[in-house]
Amino acid sequence: MPTNVRNSDEKINLDQLLIRHLDLSTHSGIRTGGKADLAAYPSNFEELRALLAFATEQNLPVTVLGGGTNSLISDDGIAGLTILCSHLTRRHVQGEMFCVRCGLALDKAIDLAIEDGLSGLELLGGIPGTVGGAIRGNSGANKVQIADVLYYVDYMTFDGKLHRMQTHLDEFTYRHSPFSDRDDVIIYEAGFRLLPTLQTSEARKRKDGAKKERKKSGQYDNPSIGCIFKNPQGQHAGSLIDSLNLKGYTVGGAQVSNRHANMIINSNGKATSTDVKLLIDYIKAQVFAHTKISLEEEIRYLGRW
Ligand SMILES: Cc1cc2nc3c(=O)[nH]c(=O)nc-3n(C[C@H](O)[C@H](O)[C@H](O)COP(=O)(O)OP(=O)(O)OC[C@H]3O[C@@H](n4cnc5c(N)ncnc54)[C@H](O)[C@@H]3O)c2cc1C
């Protein structure tokens, strides 16, 4: 399948794009983490490709960051080049296909789809982070996963080549996509096959309702990176942690949320990523000691761990 992206001969000024020692704690959902040795916010295909070519030429590792709402960034920062996706936000509609760049916030993308008279993503309303991050981790809520309506993904390998994957639902499982195990790609654009609707106010109600539920449950009250662990088969990670009375347990500034045992919060703004990691290790050890279940992280560790 051809991609929608065209090449251009426009010259890219890398000096204007590259930022040294960018503080990444402000790009992290839990507000922790060190600096990127080098960072950039590409806003189009040409800039992205030029940045990847530069990284290859300089032999720099590349890390991709969306909203940072499912990642724990090391206090020692990220080596090489960190690509921040938040300026890759364009969207367009082709018939019933809603096509959107990776850096658009998922919640905003859902609003825009409704505005365009397209429905199907509403129950994911309120999930923080970007479209790219959601696809990589096959984000889901309310018995819906993003893969359910995903039709294609345009992704760039770090050699600068753009590829299109027509997606198949059976390649996506719980919090896992064909991109989850690849650290050599950036998801650039995705196409969602949605349903045309004239009932946009109904769609909006569904979306706002999903977001309101999250708000009511206190998910947004403190900086966090969402659920730390995947649910083990037939179990809820949160219930396992809660059964050990770990709600409120603290390491440094990191605390097991009193409302959601599977979330760690930075309640006083003083946590470090090291505190969070130590708390994660403690929870895993406790759960294993008492249940013989090994919890597996849903979050990703980025940088120098
Ligand atoms: C309060 C709260 C509630 C949450 N609720 C849910 C929920 O209900 N369901 C759910 O599934 N998740 C939930 N999450 C987790 C998180 O919001 C999602 O996983 C989200 O999709 C992550 O997107 P992101 O852009 O922040 O990803 P990031 O944290 O930036 O990145 C996650 C991973 O994806 C990679 N990545 C990011 N963008 C790209 C790209 N364009 N191309 C290639 N790789 C990329 C990163 O390198 C990293 O490995 C919640 C988080 C919070 C804080």
Side-chain angles (χ1 to χ4, degrees), residues 236-255:
H236 282 283
S239 309
L240 290 170
I241 298 165
D242 196 15
S243 71
L244 301 176
N245 292 320
L246 289 175
K247 274 185 177 166
Y249 190 87
T250 298
V251 173
Q255 186 184 58

PDB file of all heavy atoms in Angstrom, residues 236-255:
ATOM      1  N   HIS A 236      -5.940  -9.271  38.585  1.00  0.00           N
ATOM      2  CA  HIS A 236      -5.746  -7.821  38.460  1.00  0.00           C
ATOM      3  C   HIS A 236      -4.512  -7.436  39.265  1.00  0.00           C
ATOM      4  O   HIS A 236      -4.461  -7.714  40.471  1.00  0.00           O
ATOM      5  CB  HIS A 236      -6.959  -7.067  39.006  1.00  0.00           C
ATOM      6  CG  HIS A 236      -8.099  -7.060  38.041  1.00  0.00           C
ATOM      7  ND1 HIS A 236      -8.114  -6.238  36.936  1.00  0.00           N
ATOM      8  CD2 HIS A 236      -9.216  -7.791  37.993  1.00  0.00           C
ATOM      9  CE1 HIS A 236      -9.218  -6.464  36.250  1.00  0.00           C
ATOM     10  NE2 HIS A 236      -9.902  -7.400  36.861  1.00  0.00           N
ATOM     11  N   ALA A 237      -3.561  -6.820  38.596  1.00  0.00           N
ATOM     12  CA  ALA A 237      -2.333  -6.439  39.308  1.00  0.00           C
ATOM     13  C   ALA A 237      -2.692  -5.568  40.519  1.00  0.00           C
ATOM     14  O   ALA A 237      -2.148  -5.753  41.608  1.00  0.00           O
ATOM     15  CB  ALA A 237      -1.395  -5.691  38.361  1.00  0.00           C
ATOM     16  N   GLY A 238      -3.641  -4.641  40.321  1.00  0.00           N
ATOM     17  CA  GLY A 238      -4.019  -3.730  41.406  1.00  0.00           C
ATOM     18  C   GLY A 238      -4.555  -4.494  42.615  1.00  0.00           C
ATOM     19  O   GLY A 238      -4.216  -4.178  43.764  1.00  0.00           O
ATOM     20  N   SER A 239      -5.379  -5.516  42.374  1.00  0.00           N
ATOM     21  CA  SER A 239      -5.954  -6.288  43.506  1.00  0.00           C
ATOM     22  C   SER A 239      -4.849  -7.047  44.235  1.00  0.00           C
ATOM     23  O   SER A 239      -4.869  -7.142  45.472  1.00  0.00           O
ATOM     24  CB  SER A 239      -6.997  -7.295  43.012  1.00  0.00           C
ATOM     25  OG  SER A 239      -7.921  -6.640  42.204  1.00  0.00           O
ATOM     26  N   LEU A 240      -3.897  -7.590  43.478  1.00  0.00           N
ATOM     27  CA  LEU A 240      -2.794  -8.323  44.125  1.00  0.00           C
ATOM     28  C   LEU A 240      -2.004  -7.382  45.038  1.00  0.00           C
ATOM     29  O   LEU A 240      -1.673  -7.725  46.175  1.00  0.00           O
ATOM     30  CB  LEU A 240      -1.848  -8.905  43.063  1.00  0.00           C
ATOM     31  CG  LEU A 240      -2.388 -10.063  42.219  1.00  0.00           C
ATOM     32  CD1 LEU A 240      -1.444 -10.373  41.061  1.00  0.00           C
ATOM     33  CD2 LEU A 240      -2.571 -11.294  43.098  1.00  0.00           C
ATOM     34  N   ILE A 241      -1.737  -6.175  44.524  1.00  0.00           N
ATOM     35  CA  ILE A 241      -0.937  -5.210  45.302  1.00  0.00           C
ATOM     36  C   ILE A 241      -1.737  -4.742  46.516  1.00  0.00           C
ATOM     37  O   ILE A 241      -1.220  -4.674  47.643  1.00  0.00           O
ATOM     38  CB  ILE A 241      -0.526  -4.013  44.403  1.00  0.00           C
ATOM     39  CG1 ILE A 241       0.350  -4.513  43.245  1.00  0.00           C
ATOM     40  CG2 ILE A 241       0.207  -2.942  45.201  1.00  0.00           C
ATOM     41  CD1 ILE A 241       0.529  -3.515  42.099  1.00  0.00           C
ATOM     42  N   ASP A 242      -3.026  -4.493  46.276  1.00  0.00           N
ATOM     43  CA  ASP A 242      -3.894  -4.028  47.365  1.00  0.00           C
ATOM     44  C   ASP A 242      -4.008  -5.094  48.453  1.00  0.00           C
ATOM     45  O   ASP A 242      -4.033  -4.783  49.654  1.00  0.00           O
ATOM     46  CB  ASP A 242      -5.278  -3.703  46.772  1.00  0.00           C
ATOM     47  CG  ASP A 242      -6.107  -2.871  47.719  1.00  0.00           C
ATOM     48  OD1 ASP A 242      -5.523  -2.320  48.680  1.00  0.00           O
ATOM     49  OD2 ASP A 242      -7.331  -2.778  47.509  1.00  0.00           O
ATOM     50  N   SER A 243      -4.053  -6.368  48.037  1.00  0.00           N
ATOM     51  CA  SER A 243      -4.219  -7.447  49.030  1.00  0.00           C
ATOM     52  C   SER A 243      -3.016  -7.515  49.973  1.00  0.00           C
ATOM     53  O   SER A 243      -3.097  -8.095  51.054  1.00  0.00           O
ATOM     54  CB  SER A 243      -4.422  -8.801  48.326  1.00  0.00           C
ATOM     55  OG  SER A 243      -3.207  -9.188  47.726  1.00  0.00           O
ATOM     56  N   LEU A 244      -1.903  -6.906  49.587  1.00  0.00           N
ATOM     57  CA  LEU A 244      -0.720  -6.877  50.465  1.00  0.00           C
ATOM     58  C   LEU A 244      -0.635  -5.550  51.233  1.00  0.00           C
ATOM     59  O   LEU A 244       0.402  -5.231  51.836  1.00  0.00           O
ATOM     60  CB  LEU A 244       0.552  -7.079  49.637  1.00  0.00           C
ATOM     61  CG  LEU A 244       0.600  -8.397  48.853  1.00  0.00           C
ATOM     62  CD1 LEU A 244       1.851  -8.471  47.985  1.00  0.00           C
ATOM     63  CD2 LEU A 244       0.559  -9.579  49.810  1.00  0.00           C
ATOM     64  N   ASN A 245      -1.735  -4.797  51.192  1.00  0.00           N
ATOM     65  CA  ASN A 245      -1.818  -3.519  51.925  1.00  0.00           C
ATOM     66  C   ASN A 245      -0.709  -2.537  51.538  1.00  0.00           C
ATOM     67  O   ASN A 245      -0.168  -1.848  52.401  1.00  0.00           O
ATOM     68  CB  ASN A 245      -1.759  -3.768  53.446  1.00  0.00           C
ATOM     69  CG  ASN A 245      -3.002  -4.465  53.915  1.00  0.00           C
ATOM     70  OD1 ASN A 245      -4.109  -4.150  53.454  1.00  0.00           O
ATOM     71  ND2 ASN A 245      -2.840  -5.443  54.783  1.00  0.00           N
ATOM     72  N   LEU A 246      -0.415  -2.512  50.249  1.00  0.00           N
ATOM     73  CA  LEU A 246       0.680  -1.632  49.831  1.00  0.00           C
ATOM     74  C   LEU A 246       0.212  -0.234  49.405  1.00  0.00           C
ATOM     75  O   LEU A 246       1.047   0.625  49.101  1.00  0.00           O
ATOM     76  CB  LEU A 246       1.472  -2.290  48.688  1.00  0.00           C
ATOM     77  CG  LEU A 246       2.319  -3.488  49.119  1.00  0.00           C
ATOM     78  CD1 LEU A 246       2.980  -4.148  47.913  1.00  0.00           C
ATOM     79  CD2 LEU A 246       3.379  -3.067  50.126  1.00  0.00           C
ATOM     80  N   LYS A 247      -1.096  -0.014  49.393  1.00  0.00           N
ATOM     81  CA  LYS A 247      -1.560   1.343  49.036  1.00  0.00           C
ATOM     82  C   LYS A 247      -0.936   2.339  50.014  1.00  0.00           C
ATOM     83  O   LYS A 247      -0.954   2.095  51.237  1.00  0.00           O
ATOM     84  CB  LYS A 247      -3.081   1.427  49.132  1.00  0.00           C
ATOM     85  CG  LYS A 247      -3.778   0.987  47.859  1.00  0.00           C
ATOM     86  CD  LYS A 247      -5.271   1.207  47.992  1.00  0.00           C
ATOM     87  CE  LYS A 247      -5.995   0.860  46.724  1.00  0.00           C
ATOM     88  NZ  LYS A 247      -7.450   0.745  46.936  1.00  0.00           N
ATOM     89  N   GLY A 248      -0.402   3.418  49.479  1.00  0.00           N
ATOM     90  CA  GLY A 248       0.196   4.437  50.343  1.00  0.00           C
ATOM     91  C   GLY A 248       1.663   4.164  50.655  1.00  0.00           C
ATOM     92  O   GLY A 248       2.355   5.036  51.178  1.00  0.00           O
ATOM     93  N   TYR A 249       2.163   2.960  50.339  1.00  0.00           N
ATOM     94  CA  TYR A 249       3.565   2.636  50.630  1.00  0.00           C
ATOM     95  C   TYR A 249       4.474   3.584  49.831  1.00  0.00           C
ATOM     96  O   TYR A 249       4.220   3.873  48.659  1.00  0.00           O
ATOM     97  CB  TYR A 249       3.866   1.176  50.269  1.00  0.00           C
ATOM     98  CG  TYR A 249       5.214   0.714  50.753  1.00  0.00           C
ATOM     99  CD1 TYR A 249       5.375   0.201  52.039  1.00  0.00           C
ATOM    100  CD2 TYR A 249       6.333   0.820  49.941  1.00  0.00           C
ATOM    101  CE1 TYR A 249       6.624  -0.198  52.496  1.00  0.00           C
ATOM    102  CE2 TYR A 249       7.583   0.426  50.390  1.00  0.00           C
ATOM    103  CZ  TYR A 249       7.729  -0.080  51.668  1.00  0.00           C
ATOM    104  OH  TYR A 249       8.963  -0.477  52.115  1.00  0.00           O
ATOM    105  N   THR A 250       5.520   4.046  50.485  1.00  0.00           N
ATOM    106  CA  THR A 250       6.328   5.116  49.898  1.00  0.00           C
ATOM    107  C   THR A 250       7.809   4.764  49.862  1.00  0.00           C
ATOM    108  O   THR A 250       8.325   4.192  50.810  1.00  0.00           O
ATOM    109  CB  THR A 250       6.152   6.392  50.768  1.00  0.00           C
ATOM    110  OG1 THR A 250       4.776   6.757  50.726  1.00  0.00           O
ATOM    111  CG2 THR A 250       6.967   7.559  50.268  1.00  0.00           C
ATOM    112  N   VAL A 251       8.456   5.102  48.766  1.00  0.00           N
ATOM    113  CA  VAL A 251       9.928   5.092  48.711  1.00  0.00           C
ATOM    114  C   VAL A 251      10.351   6.480  48.253  1.00  0.00           C
ATOM    115  O   VAL A 251      10.003   6.897  47.137  1.00  0.00           O
ATOM    116  CB  VAL A 251      10.466   4.031  47.722  1.00  0.00           C
ATOM    117  CG1 VAL A 251      11.985   4.181  47.562  1.00  0.00           C
ATOM    118  CG2 VAL A 251      10.129   2.619  48.177  1.00  0.00           C
ATOM    119  N   GLY A 252      11.072   7.206  49.085  1.00  0.00           N
ATOM    120  CA  GLY A 252      11.420   8.592  48.761  1.00  0.00           C
ATOM    121  C   GLY A 252      10.135   9.357  48.475  1.00  0.00           C
ATOM    122  O   GLY A 252       9.189   9.320  49.271  1.00  0.00           O
ATOM    123  N   GLY A 253      10.066  10.002  47.316  1.00  0.00           N
ATOM    124  CA  GLY A 253       8.854  10.757  46.975  1.00  0.00           C
ATOM    125  C   GLY A 253       7.835   9.955  46.176  1.00  0.00           C
ATOM    126  O   GLY A 253       6.806  10.496  45.766  1.00  0.00           O
ATOM    127  N   ALA A 254       8.124   8.673  45.933  1.00  0.00           N
ATOM    128  CA  ALA A 254       7.198   7.854  45.118  1.00  0.00           C
ATOM    129  C   ALA A 254       6.267   7.066  46.027  1.00  0.00           C
ATOM    130  O   ALA A 254       6.715   6.481  47.017  1.00  0.00           O
ATOM    131  CB  ALA A 254       7.998   6.898  44.237  1.00  0.00           C
ATOM    132  N   GLN A 255       4.995   7.056  45.673  1.00  0.00           N
ATOM    133  CA  GLN A 255       4.002   6.437  46.552  1.00  0.00           C
ATOM    134  C   GLN A 255       3.029   5.579  45.754  1.00  0.00           C
ATOM    135  O   GLN A 255       2.590   5.991  44.671  1.00  0.00           O
ATOM    136  CB  GLN A 255       3.228   7.557  47.252  1.00  0.00           C
ATOM    137  CG  GLN A 255       2.266   7.065  48.298  1.00  0.00           C
ATOM    138  CD  GLN A 255       1.462   8.217  48.892  1.00  0.00           C
ATOM    139  OE1 GLN A 255       0.779   8.936  48.161  1.00  0.00           O
ATOM    140  NE2 GLN A 255       1.552   8.398  50.183  1.00  0.00           N
TER     141      GLN A 255
END
